[in-house]
């Protein structure tokens, strides 16, 4: 397998027809392969998330990161865009689903696509990866410590979202969940609730829960980074996608 | 977690950012993930000039202890100021 890749900022067409910015990292190997939609975390469409996309491309996948804040803050720096989006209470779920649909279509349209697409998201993106997988035909979804898939939204919570566990019957693909046992949201009990819902609905899933790790343990530029959990998590991700996104 | 806990206030004043001084009219105060400060969650203040778009922002990210100290210091300075100053 070649590790040659091409990465660049592009425009993609969202599912609702809007043109939005995205970061594409594509394998240059012409053999058909799967694609991954990388859903960025609350702090935005940042350099660390783009590095994740390049990591997928270097490991043989096509990857794309839609800039989820493009509509709210076109052309702004990632931190200013994130501040603008959070001041508005986040982005609507409908917009997220539309943007992931457009990103998936972009990946499927690449010359070296095998037609399969996975999603992965971190933090708020973990919930959004699950949201995409209960809303769209996805082949493999990864939820990295997404809060409020289950549980209860705190009173007065300003983000206009709902929990998603009631939509578990609509999950279109296997789910890989990676969680820190020291995380408060999702707490171990909230992960238990999701696991119970997956079992009750006969859904294929694989959960890994890490001791000595809390929220955002994949974030290499933050004090929450836990290399032991993150390294094992990356191995789980590649094994999962290797199984479900293969030709 | 992404808390989204935010207080918004109207303010009058100026702030100096990357492009120089700007007139700010709005403030967002929130506890959430920082972009730069080496903590999991920080008390963040955005001094905003919405008319300038998303880049009309001067931001600070403070540890929670620092933020509490700042609140006390601001209050102390205001209380010590002579009455009647514009």
């Amino acid at each position: 397998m070649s590790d040659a890749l091409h990465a660049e900022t592009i425009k993609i067409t969202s599912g609702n027809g809007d043109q939005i910015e995205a970061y594409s990292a594509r394998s240059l190997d012409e053999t058909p392969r799967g694609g991954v939609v990388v859903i960025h975390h609350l702090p935005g469409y940042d350099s660390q998330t783009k590095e994740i996309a390049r990591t997928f491309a270097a490991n043989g996948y096509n990857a794309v990161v839609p800039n989820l804040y493009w509509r709210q803050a076109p052309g702004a720096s990632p931190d200013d865009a994130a501040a603008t989006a959070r001041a508005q209470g986040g982005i609507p779920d409908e917009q997220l689903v539309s943007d992931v649909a457009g990103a998936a279509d972009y990946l499927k349209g690449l010359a070296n696509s095998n037609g399969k697409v996975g999603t992965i998201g971190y933090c708020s993106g973990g919930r959004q990866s699950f949201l995409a997988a209960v809303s769209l035909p996805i082949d493999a979804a990864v939820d990295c410590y997404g809060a409020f898939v289950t549980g209860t939204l705190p009173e007065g919570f300003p983000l206009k979202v709902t929990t998603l566990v009631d939509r578990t019957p609509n999950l279109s693909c296997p789910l890989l969940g990676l969680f820190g046992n020291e995380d408060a949201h999702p707490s171990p009990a909230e992960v238990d609730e999701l696991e119970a819902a997956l079992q009750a609905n006969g859904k294929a899933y694989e959960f890994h829960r890490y001791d000595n790790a809390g929220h955002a343990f994949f974030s290499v530029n933050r004090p929450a980074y836990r290399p032991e959990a993150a390294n094992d998590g990356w191995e789980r991700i590649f094994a999962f996608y290797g199984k479900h996104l293969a030709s | 977690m992404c808390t989204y806990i935010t207080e918004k206030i109207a303010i009058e004043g100026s702030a100096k950012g990357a492009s120089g001084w700007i007139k700010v009219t709005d403030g967002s105060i929130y506890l959430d993930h920082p972009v730069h400060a080496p903590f999991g969650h920080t008390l963040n203040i955005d001094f905003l000039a919405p008319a300038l778009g998303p880049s009309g922002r001067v931001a600070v990210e403070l540890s929670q202890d620092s933020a509490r100290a700042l609140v006390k210091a601001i209050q102390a300075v205001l209380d010590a100021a002579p009455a009647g100053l514009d």
Side-chain angles (χ1 to χ4, degrees):
Chain A
M1 180 191 78
S2 167
D3 63 355
L5 61 90
H6 182 82
E8 61 181 335
T9 298
I10 60 170
K11 291 284 179 60
I12 62 171
T13 304
S14 178
N16 68 357
D18 291 347
Q19 292 282 303
I20 64 167
E21 184 180 270
Y23 185 76
S24 167
R26 306 184 292 276
S27 170
L28 294 180
D29 192 313
E30 295 178 357
T31 308
R33 67 205 52 250
V36 179
V37 180
V38 180
I39 303 173
H40 65 68
H41 57 170
L42 170 78
Y45 173 76
D46 56 11
S47 60
Q48 290 75 29
T49 308
K50 293 176 182 176
E51 176 65 20
I52 290 170
R54 290 193 294 272
T55 299
F56 281 118
N59 282 273
Y61 295 89
N62 297 318
V64 66
V65 187
N67 181 350
L68 303 179
Y69 302 154
W70 177 252
R71 293 177 185 77
Q72 282 75 18
S77 64
D79 57 329
D80 288 343
T84 299
R86 81 174 316 289
Q88 297 175 10
I91 59 168
D93 280 352
E94 298 77 13
Q95 180 177 309
L96 179 282
V97 172
S98 179
D99 289 354
V100 172
D105 286 346
Y106 162 77
L107 291 168
K108 290 179 181 178
L110 294 173
N112 63 350
S113 169
N114 68 0
K116 294 188 177 179
V117 169
T119 59
I120 187 169
Y122 306 80
C123 181
S124 54
R127 174 186 175 277
Q128 291 167 330
S129 181
F130 187 86
L131 172 65
V134 298
S135 307
L136 300 166
I138 301 293
D139 296 295
V142 183
D143 168 6
C144 301
Y145 37 79
F148 305 123
V149 174
T150 59
T152 305
L153 290 163
E155 189 172 347
F157 192 63
L159 185 58
K160 297 176 183 63
V161 300
T162 60
T163 57
L164 301 169
V165 67
D166 290 349
R167 298 174 65 178
T168 303
N170 298 329
L171 185 65
S172 61
C173 62
L175 178 71
L176 172 64
L178 302 170
F179 307 101
N181 286 332
E182 296 177 2
D183 200 340
H185 295 286
S187 67
E190 290 168 345
V191 176
D192 289 343
E193 183 185 350
L194 178 56
E195 184 163 23
L198 292 164
Q199 290 176 349
N201 287 281
K203 298 297 183 182
Y205 74 96
E206 179 184 330
F207 279 7
H208 300 280
R209 308 176 185 215
Y210 298 100
D211 291 330
N212 304 312
H215 201 71
F217 63 77
F218 276 108
S219 293
V220 295
N221 63 324
R222 294 171 183 274
Y225 181 53
R226 294 293 180 272
E228 190 173 348
N231 290 345
D232 186 79
W234 271 112
E235 291 178 14
R236 304 292 184 181
I237 290 165
F238 284 123
F240 182 73
Y241 282 154
K243 180 177 179 182
H244 297 292
L245 298 185
S247 297
Chain B
M1 67 173 290
C2 311
T3 68
Y4 280 92
I5 299 167
T6 304
E7 293 283 341
K8 297 179 185 177
I9 57 171
I11 57 177
E12 292 180 286
S14 295
K16 191 173 184 182
S19 61
W21 285 97
I22 56 175
K23 179 183 178 183
V24 291
T25 58
D26 296 75
S28 288
I29 300 93
Y30 51 100
L31 186 80
D32 216 326
H33 304 307
V35 171
H36 185 270
F39 301 96
H41 294 81
T42 49
L43 188 287
N44 308 317
I45 306 172
D46 290 343
F47 299 98
L48 300 168
L52 300 178
S55 64
R57 184 175 79 109
V58 175
V60 294
E61 299 173 334
L62 301 173
S63 72
Q64 294 175 56
D65 287 345
S66 298
R68 292 183 188 281
L70 177 65
V71 169
K72 286 184 180 178
I74 290 173
Q75 194 64 58
V77 168
L78 290 173
D79 289 347
L85 295 178
D86 290 335

